Amino acid sequence: MLVDLQEWLYAVEAFTLRSDGEKLARLLKEAHRRPWLAGKRENGDLPLRLQNMAQCIERFSRSVWLLRLFEALEAAARAQALAREVEPEAARWAKPFNIIFIICSFGANC
């Protein structure tokens, strides 16, 4: 569990410092896929939007790296809109990501 948290922190650091969203997106995809593969249902449902958030982060990161500013702005707007929808799933399936979301919601420098 501590190793997982360290991996999430490293992924967030890479995203915030270098706009490298690859690791963060991979962790979100794993959090999305893991319950599906295990057939694990919590409160009768499975994650549905975590993978979409991962794709938004990947698209934003790639756009920034390729200097495609309009694409980066679109991806950022999509991720911001999707964040509210993802919050309940993140609280259940990707707790470290949910904590990051809460911190960023209160105006921290993310």
Side-chain angles (χ1 to χ4, degrees):
M1 182 68 168
L2 188 58
V3 174
D4 289 341
L5 183 57
Q6 185 176 10
E7 192 173 3
W8 279 94
L9 290 172
Y10 180 73
V12 169
E13 180 182 45
F15 184 64
T16 57
L17 295 179
R18 297 183 303 279
S19 297
D20 180 1
E22 182 182 329
K23 290 172 182 38
L24 187 57
R26 180 181 49 79
L27 289 170
L28 280 170
K29 286 179 181 180
E30 286 175 12
H32 180 96
R33 188 175 28 249
R34 193 177 301 122
W36 282 92
L37 292 175
K40 182 179 178 181
R41 293 181 182 256
E42 190 172 298
N43 297 333
D45 61 346
L46 291 165
L48 302 172
R49 294 181 184 95
L50 291 177
Q51 189 162 332
N52 294 342
M53 179 58 88
Q55 290 168 348
C56 283
I57 291 170
E58 284 176 326
R59 183 172 175 224
F60 172 79
S61 182
R62 191 174 334 113
S63 299
V64 168
W65 278 76
L66 295 173
L67 299 175
R68 296 180 178 169
L69 301 179
F70 290 115
E71 284 182 26
L73 289 172
E74 288 175 358
R78 173 73 179 129
Q80 188 176 23
L82 188 59
R84 294 283 174 210
E85 297 174 26
V86 169
E87 185 179 11
E89 285 186 17
R92 216 173 306 143
W93 305 106
K95 287 178 177 54
F97 185 76
N98 190 53
I99 292 168
I100 295 161
F101 175 80
I102 290 168
I103 291 169
C104 292
S105 295
F106 286 105
N109 191 12
C110 295

